């Protein structure tokens, strides 16, 4: 991983697309939609398989709604959001929203999903301490999730880590070549989403109850996403883009 924040005008390199399966692992419903779902729509239109693992159901995310009710609402919104971008395989791990902790239990959940889905690429959200120089601190669940993802994809390939999972035909999977981090302040790669930007907007708009619960009465998904997508597009040389930090798991081939 790079330790130097790129300048706002530094060109982005296109992410490779010679892969077939991806698994997105994030903390909450809406995490992928606040930046990455337009890229997912591009990939599913290409015929790639993309599955989602949500570690929580976002049940603590709506102040005016009891978690038992919010869990049902937010899971439904996430499934509707995924349908917009061509994703039908959506799982909720049931961990507790707002109090996720990096550690073996979280790594175990993610490693098991990696072993079942056998992805080429794993996608997650920004796990750095902030969203960039001078920005607000990142949320603790995001930080714990992304850091666990990096370790769990390696755990999944080691037969002797969480070996009790290896029953009923489940085998180790060391085929994840890269982890792509959406909304990272260290993004140096990007994906052209000029043709699927509207899908990304529509997928975010499906999180109606959550957005209303935040009190964002004037929130415009198109305006919010458009600012980031146009800026990334300028760096990639296209109309709209989604930026990612690329973390290679190959020895000696780090983010460049």
């Amino acid at each position: 991983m790079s330790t130097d924040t790129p300048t706002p005008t530094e060109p982005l390199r296109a992410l490779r697309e010679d892969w077939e399966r991806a698994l997105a692992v994030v903390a909450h419903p809406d995490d992928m939609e606040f930046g990455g779902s337009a890229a997912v729509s591009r990939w599913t239109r290409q015929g790639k398989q993309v599955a989602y693992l949500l570690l929580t159901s976002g049940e603590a995310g709506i102040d005016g709604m009891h978690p038992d009710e919010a869990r049902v609402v937010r899971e439904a919104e996430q499934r509707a959001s995924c349908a917009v971008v061509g994703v039908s395989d959506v799982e909720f791990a049931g961990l507790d929203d707002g109090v996720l902790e990096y550690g073996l239990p979280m790594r175990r959940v993610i490693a098991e999903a990696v072993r079942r889905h056998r992805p080429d690429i794993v996608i997650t959200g920004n796990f750095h301490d902030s969203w960039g120089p001078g920005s607000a601190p990142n949320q603790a669940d995001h930080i714990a999730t992304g850091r666990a993802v990096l370790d769990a994809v390696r755990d999944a390939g080691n037969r002797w880590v969480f070996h009790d999972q290896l029953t009923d035909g489940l085998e180790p999977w060391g085929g994840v070549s890269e982890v792509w981090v959406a909304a990272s302040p260290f993004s140096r790669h990007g994906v052209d989403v000029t043709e699927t930007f509207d899908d990304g907007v529509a997928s975010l708009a499906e999180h109606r109850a959550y957005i209303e619960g935040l009190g964002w009465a004037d929130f415009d998904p198109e305006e919010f996403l458009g600012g980031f997508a146009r800026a990334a597009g300028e760096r990639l040389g296209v109309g709209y883009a989604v930026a990612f930090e690329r973390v290679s798991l190959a020895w000696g081939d780090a983010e460049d």
Side-chain angles (χ1 to χ4, degrees):
M1 292 179 291
S2 173
T3 57
D4 298 321
T5 306
T7 65
T9 57
E10 181 179 321
L12 294 174
R13 303 179 186 181
L15 283 172
R16 64 184 186 85
E17 295 185 319
D18 59 340
W19 52 274
E20 297 180 0
R21 297 183 306 277
L23 175 66
V25 182
V26 292
H28 316 108
D30 79 76
D31 283 353
M32 282 297 295
E33 288 68 48
F34 273 101
S37 58
V40 172
S41 183
R42 171 187 170 94
W43 294 324
T44 59
R45 288 191 188 190
Q46 294 173 347
K48 300 183 190 324
Q49 299 176 27
V50 183
Y52 278 31
L53 173 65
L54 291 300
L55 295 185
T56 81
S57 297
E59 68 275 8
I62 302 177
D63 183 68
M65 187 179 294
H66 190 278
D68 290 345
E69 180 183 359
R71 182 189 318 276
V72 175
V73 170
R74 299 207 66 195
E75 286 187 5
E77 288 188 338
Q78 184 62 57
R79 293 187 189 281
S81 177
C82 283
V84 171
V85 297
V87 173
S88 59
D89 194 342
V90 186
E91 302 175 9
F92 298 90
L95 303 184
D96 292 334
D97 183 22
V99 291
L100 291 180
E101 292 184 298
Y102 171 88
L104 293 177
M106 186 186 297
R107 284 167 53 185
R108 171 184 290 273
V109 167
I110 300 169
E112 192 273 340
V114 170
R115 286 168 167 171
R116 280 190 292 107
H117 290 281
R118 302 172 72 84
D120 308 302
I121 301 294
V122 169
I123 304 162
T124 193
N126 178 29
F127 56 85
H128 299 290
D129 290 340
S130 75
W131 303 96
S135 70
N138 199 353
Q139 198 261 0
D141 284 359
H142 300 158
I143 296 171
T145 297
R147 291 177 178 172
V149 165
L150 292 180
D151 288 327
V153 293
R154 289 175 292 194
D155 296 335
N158 188 329
R159 180 175 301 278
W160 306 115
V161 176
F162 308 134
H163 55 85
D164 57 307
Q165 294 177 347
L166 302 180
T167 60
D168 299 325
L170 192 65
E171 291 290 335
W173 178 249
V176 178
S177 60
E178 297 176 357
V179 174
W180 295 346
V181 187
S184 168
F186 300 100
S187 296
R188 285 187 166 85
H189 289 74
V191 178
D192 181 359
V193 298
T194 305
E195 294 185 1
T196 57
F197 173 73
D198 289 345
D199 292 345
V201 172
S203 72
L204 177 56
E206 289 291 344
H207 293 278
R208 295 180 184 88
Y210 177 63
I211 292 170
E212 290 175 4
L214 293 174
W216 295 353
D218 299 322
F219 178 74
D220 183 337
E222 182 172 7
E223 180 180 353
F224 177 86
L225 295 177
F228 295 106
R230 284 189 293 272
E234 290 181 8
R235 295 174 62 193
L236 190 61
V238 299
Y240 292 93
V242 172
F244 288 89
E245 177 183 1
R246 168 187 167 271
V247 182
S248 174
L249 298 180
W251 182 259
D253 179 23
E255 161 75 20
D256 57 6

